[in-house]
Amino acid sequence: QAGLTQPPSVSKDLRQTATLTCTGNSNNVGNQGTAWLQHHQGHPPKLLSDRNNKRPSGISERFSASTSGNTASLTITGLQAEDEADYYCSAWDSSLNIWVFGGGTKLTVL
Amino acid sequence: VQLVESGGGVVQPGRSLILSCAASGFTFRSYNMHWVRQAPGKGLEWVAVISYNGGFKYYADSMKGRFTISRDNSENTLYLQMNSLRAEDTALYYCARELSAFDIWGLGTMVTVSS
């Protein structure tokens, strides 16, 4: 089962903007919406944006999600030290009837 | 709103294990529920989903035929029956609620498959 494609790592300076990408196909990202999760090791993952690109209550406006074709993006503005974490995208695949995850992007804030 | 997994431990290859996930603080019977795992040093991997009423169940290919997801809405509990365990099933297993994505997660329960 092929998953979604994310760059393994991204590094950005404090207070800068990071854009993380997630590429799938028309059966998942392109038509089913993409969720984004933040994962600090030792803690459970946290949902940042749901399949409709909406932030759950309590999630900072610095996190915003969008989709163009088969690629989803998560933009994080005003990077803070606590944003350093692993970020995962996930989508329902309507052809395979499974949820798929990306391999995760490790964000380093310099 | 809380999910609490239990049942993990060390098990020999080929043996079975049942994980549980106790839900509280929300109407459990109204939500689809998932199991997601993370092997040591690896990323998140989706395992299985069960609909709110148990009407459908889907599995990742590598778990199909070996794992069974189920739920007891009267007990607000989600289960994962894992058979024919392999070393590569060693992971932290999370249960998660689905509200347009995985919006609530438990802390996870660790499963180690080793002889």
Side-chain angles (χ1 to χ4, degrees):
Chain A
Q1 290 170 329
L4 307 177
T5 301
Q6 298 183 251
S9 63
V10 168
S11 297
K12 289 287 183 181
D13 290 329
L14 205 60
R15 294 182 294 276
Q16 295 303 302
T17 295
T19 298
L20 312 183
T21 60
C22 170
T23 302
N25 60 43
S26 59
N27 295 315
N28 42 61
V29 171
N31 278 301
Q32 298 296 318
T34 305
W36 288 92
L37 299 138
Q38 179 190 62
H39 193 201
H40 288 103
Q41 288 306 313
H43 297 272
K46 179 194 294 185
L47 183 66
L48 297 177
S49 178
D50 69 14
R51 294 167 65 181
N52 300 309
N53 292 336
K54 291 186 189 300
R55 284 185 303 274
S57 174
I59 300 300
S60 170
E61 292 179 353
R62 298 189 299 108
F63 296 92
S64 62
S66 62
T67 304
S68 176
N70 296 331
T71 298
S73 299
L74 177 73
T75 299
I76 312 170
T77 59
L79 281 168
Q80 301 176 2
E82 57 262 36
D83 296 331
E84 190 162 288
D86 295 319
Y87 290 81
Y88 294 90
C89 59
S90 184
W92 173 251
D93 190 298
S94 58
S95 173
L96 300 174
N97 284 331
I98 60 170
W99 278 82
V100 287
F101 276 93
T105 295
K106 182 174 182 60
L107 174 65
T108 300
V109 180
L110 303 170
Chain B
V1 176
Q2 192 174 11
L3 297 170
V4 179
E5 302 93 338
S6 61
V10 180
V11 60
Q12 293 180 328
R15 304 298 290 264
S16 299
L17 203 60
I18 300 176
L19 305 183
S20 300
C21 169
S24 61
F26 65 98
T27 307
F28 179 71
R29 63 179 180 273
S30 297
Y31 293 87
N32 297 347
M33 296 294 296
H34 297 255
W35 288 98
V36 177
R37 70 183 186 182
Q38 185 176 35
K42 303 290 187 182
L44 298 175
E45 180 182 24
W46 179 77
V47 173
V49 61
I50 184 169
S51 64
Y52 66 100
N53 62 356
F56 71 74
K57 304 173 187 180
Y58 296 112
Y59 300 89
D61 272 356
S62 59
M63 290 75 162
K64 213 174 287 184
R66 298 190 302 127
F67 290 11
T68 302
I69 189 171
S70 62
R71 65 190 297 158
D72 184 339
N73 285 344
S74 66
E75 296 290 333
N76 294 335
T77 304
L78 175 73
Y79 299 99
L80 184 68
Q81 166 84 47
M82 303 186 294
N83 298 330
S84 304
L85 283 163
R86 308 165 179 166
E88 53 265 37
D89 295 318
T90 293
L92 183 62
Y93 284 74
Y94 295 102
C95 62
R97 185 181 83 170
E98 180 185 329
L99 178 64
S100 189
F102 312 100
D103 71 322
I104 303 294
W105 295 69
L107 295 179
T109 187
M110 186 68 200
V111 173
T112 302
V113 183
S114 173
S115 54

